Amino acid sequence: MPVSALKITSIGRNGVGAFILQCKRMDFHYCDWAGSSKGMNSFLTHTLPKFARANPQIAISVSPRPHTHPIIRATYINNREKVICVRNLEKEQILQKAELLRDASGERNRKVKGGKVVTSLNEGVRGVWSVVHGFNQEMEGVKGGFDGITKGGWKGKG
């Protein structure tokens, strides 16, 4: 009997075939006069050119905002914006914030409910666990048996 191959192709998802960076634009706003922009001015002269060369797919603009704190504004492909104030931060810390915005998806931050951290589009291979699945014949001889497990905890020895 010959073995035949499965005729299923994989579904393309972001990150599997070709990765599309979600951040499409970053705006760096600074003030020449204010002391809170000292780290941002240092970042713009020393670190931003390397960051821009490493990320050519992101449009980067720099503009002054007199008498205000420095900010980084990121625009994503889903037309959402995220803004981080980088007042009184050093250039290394500003680079970390810029990388944080670059790597973000643009979606709103939301609380993970039920402790389920990993979400998937595929069903679980093992199925859903239940107390009934762990029940076998050996447990019937134990004092309390199956009723002891379901009605208030384990009532056997131990």
Side-chain angles (χ1 to χ4, degrees):
M1 181 160 97
V3 178
S4 62
L6 296 174
K7 296 177 183 171
I8 299 174
T9 59
S10 64
I11 300 169
R13 294 191 176 109
N14 196 11
V16 176
F19 180 74
I20 299 171
L21 193 64
Q22 301 295 304
C23 182
K24 65 178 181 180
R25 178 184 173 93
M26 292 183 84
D27 301 324
F28 295 87
H29 300 285
Y30 69 99
C31 177
D32 286 328
W33 176 79
S36 64
S37 291
K38 186 172 80 172
M40 177 62 103
N41 292 334
S42 175
F43 173 80
L44 294 176
T45 56
H46 297 98
T47 314
L48 185 62
K50 294 178 209 168
F51 181 78
R53 266 185 258 120
N55 301 293
Q57 63 274 26
I58 300 175
I60 294 178
S61 68
V62 178
S63 61
R65 284 182 44 186
H67 309 294
T68 56
H69 293 300
I71 63 167
I72 303 172
R73 173 176 284 128
T75 308
Y76 298 91
I77 61 174
N78 60 357
N79 293 328
R80 289 190 54 88
E81 286 187 350
K82 287 189 178 181
V83 179
I84 294 183
C85 180
V86 291
R87 132 183 114 206
N88 296 326
L89 295 181
E90 299 296 324
K91 63 181 179 179
E92 295 83 14
Q93 295 171 319
I94 294 173
L95 177 63
Q96 289 177 350
K97 297 296 183 183
E99 289 172 347
L100 177 83
L101 287 173
R102 176 198 66 193
D103 297 338
S105 67
E107 293 292 324
R108 297 187 74 165
N109 294 337
R110 55 184 159 221
K111 185 177 179 181
V112 178
K113 295 180 181 178
K116 187 174 182 181
V117 178
V118 178
T119 57
S120 175
L121 299 175
N122 302 327
E123 293 182 17
V125 176
R126 297 177 68 185
V128 180
W129 184 85
S130 174
V131 177
V132 179
H133 290 123
F135 180 68
N136 58 21
Q137 298 297 326
E138 295 175 7
M139 294 178 78
E140 287 184 11
V142 177
K143 180 180 177 186
F146 185 69
D147 294 333
I149 295 173
T150 57
K151 293 181 183 174
W154 183 256
K155 294 184 181 176
K157 293 183 180 178

